[in-house]
Amino acid sequence: MFARLNGFDRSLTDNFMQLESEMDRLFQAAGLRSRNLTSNHSSQPQMHIGSTESQVDIYLPVAGIDSKAVTISLEGNQMTISGQRDLEKSESAKLVKKERFEGQFHYQINLPDDVDQERVEASYEQGILHVKIARREAAKPRQITIQ
Amino acid sequence: MSHQQEVVAKEKSVAEKRANSYQSVRPRVDIHEDKEGITLLADIPGVSREALDIQIDNEILSIDGRVELPLPNGAKEGYAGNQITRYQRSFSLSKELDGEQVEATLKDGVLALRIPKRQEFKPRKIEIRTA
């Protein structure tokens, strides 16, 4: 019931509206429901969630984190991604501009009901956390032959 | 216009539409300053070395990077929304910085630019000669 993996990532502070719009997209892609999408304009990279018949992919942009500082868990159809981003400190240099996110991050994502708890993969590359969740065979559309 | 030409024109417009459709992001940066120069750190997750263009022209430093998420088999149109993100931001360098000596490194989506101060602006130690 409960799959837990350690891996990856951290992310910039995305606001709730962004997450919500991504969730809308997921629902739409999964054919579950559709709401009006919020505006696509953003000053920060967004989480992308894509769904096909066989898998769901989550792409979370979170540059420069220690992948060991990320926890990914899946309970039922609810995925939680949380972690910590620590920025390098310098004794000799003066910080003249600070915009980059630092601290904890936490995402909660509702996935389709047919995700397979046992087949979750995560990777962290070039600052993007990619979580791939397989969907169960039974949920795939089947061709019914009329006898 | 023949039918064949029409098809070509149509295909081109789809490709152009895809190429022109991206999420534009102004990357967040931290700037550290020390006696020797400045270090600029920019978050550009997903951008590879090949897809990153850094230019200095007329004391304007420009960062331009592009990310395109992969499409899995069976993905339909509209999968994961907008697949392309473009990071763009420009900075004007102060006169004391030496744009000729910029060093850039990219790791885990963080771009680090080291820009030294020009020699004449660096602190100098004055030797005192004995009379």
Side-chain angles (χ1 to χ4, degrees):
Chain A
M1 274 308 284
F2 193 70
R4 190 181 198 94
L5 20 151
N6 281 314
F8 328 114
D9 212 32
R10 78 111 349 54
S11 128
L12 303 176
T13 45
D14 282 350
N15 64 42
F16 180 67
M17 289 303 280
Q18 275 176 343
L19 183 59
E20 197 174 60
S21 95
E22 293 304 324
M23 287 168 69
D24 276 345
R25 257 180 233 140
L26 174 63
F27 288 131
Q28 209 169 32
L32 299 176
R33 64 171 169 160
S34 168
R35 294 194 308 202
N36 287 333
L37 295 184
T38 47
S39 166
N40 196 31
H41 291 285
S42 166
S43 64
Q44 286 309 301
Q46 296 179 356
M47 181 190 325
H48 282 80
I49 302 176
S51 165
T52 67
E53 286 170 11
S54 59
Q55 67 189 63
V56 177
D57 291 278
I58 299 172
Y59 295 95
L60 182 63
V62 283
I65 56 151
D66 179 358
S67 61
K68 293 187 194 72
V70 174
T71 305
I72 302 168
S73 66
L74 180 61
E75 190 172 9
N77 69 335
Q78 189 149 89
M79 173 155 279
T80 306
I81 303 174
S82 56
Q84 170 90 20
R85 185 197 206 193
D86 298 312
L87 298 179
E88 52 289 330
K89 301 269 190 299
S90 171
E91 294 287 312
S92 58
K94 184 173 67 174
L95 194 56
V96 292
K97 190 185 268 293
K98 174 160 173 51
E99 298 172 350
R100 295 162 73 220
F101 169 76
E102 185 171 19
Q104 293 183 334
F105 58 92
H106 184 89
Y107 292 94
Q108 215 152 331
I109 304 145
N110 287 319
L111 298 172
D113 288 330
D114 63 348
V115 291
D116 189 336
Q117 308 280 324
E118 306 304 322
R119 290 190 292 155
V120 182
E121 291 169 29
S123 60
Y124 181 61
E125 212 176 324
Q126 289 175 346
I128 291 190
L129 176 67
H130 177 198
V131 186
K132 189 167 100 181
I133 309 110
R135 300 176 77 174
R136 285 192 295 273
E137 295 291 323
K140 292 181 188 169
R142 279 175 302 167
Q143 188 78 42
I144 309 294
T145 312
I146 300 166
Q147 304 285 328
Chain B
M1 190 191 267
S2 76
H3 184 66
Q4 197 180 359
Q5 278 175 320
E6 269 182 27
V7 172
V8 171
K10 205 172 180 181
E11 280 174 358
K12 195 181 166 197
S13 78
V14 171
E16 277 174 2
K17 197 177 163 193
R18 181 159 168 80
N20 291 330
S21 164
Y22 56 84
Q23 185 204 1
S24 187
V25 170
R26 183 170 177 262
R28 291 189 180 169
V29 302
D30 285 351
I31 299 173
H32 300 262
E33 183 179 358
D34 57 44
K35 286 173 187 163
E36 304 288 316
I38 66 163
T39 304
L40 183 151
L41 301 167
D43 287 339
I44 49 170
V47 177
S48 66
R49 278 177 60 160
E50 295 71 32
L52 177 61
D53 185 32
I54 304 165
Q55 291 198 3
I56 296 183
D57 185 25
N58 236 340
E59 272 140 20
I60 301 291
L61 168 74
S62 309
I63 299 168
D64 189 341
R66 212 177 124 93
V67 186
E68 186 165 352
L69 292 177
L71 283 173
N73 289 333
K76 299 192 176 93
E77 199 183 326
Y79 169 88
N82 202 335
Q83 292 294 105
I84 302 172
T85 301
R86 194 166 172 191
Y87 296 94
Q88 287 175 297
R89 194 159 173 184
S90 297
F91 300 88
S92 108
L93 297 183
S94 69
K95 291 263 185 282
E96 59 179 11
L97 294 171
D98 189 349
E100 303 288 313
Q101 311 286 334
V102 180
E103 281 175 32
T105 53
L106 181 63
K107 185 174 182 280
D108 291 341
V110 179
L111 169 69
L113 290 176
R114 177 66 189 169
I115 311 167
K117 288 181 183 168
R118 291 183 197 281
Q119 209 59 45
E120 58 267 36
F121 291 99
K122 284 183 185 172
R124 278 177 301 168
K125 185 163 172 66
I126 311 295
E127 294 291 330
I128 301 165
R129 281 185 230 167
T130 46

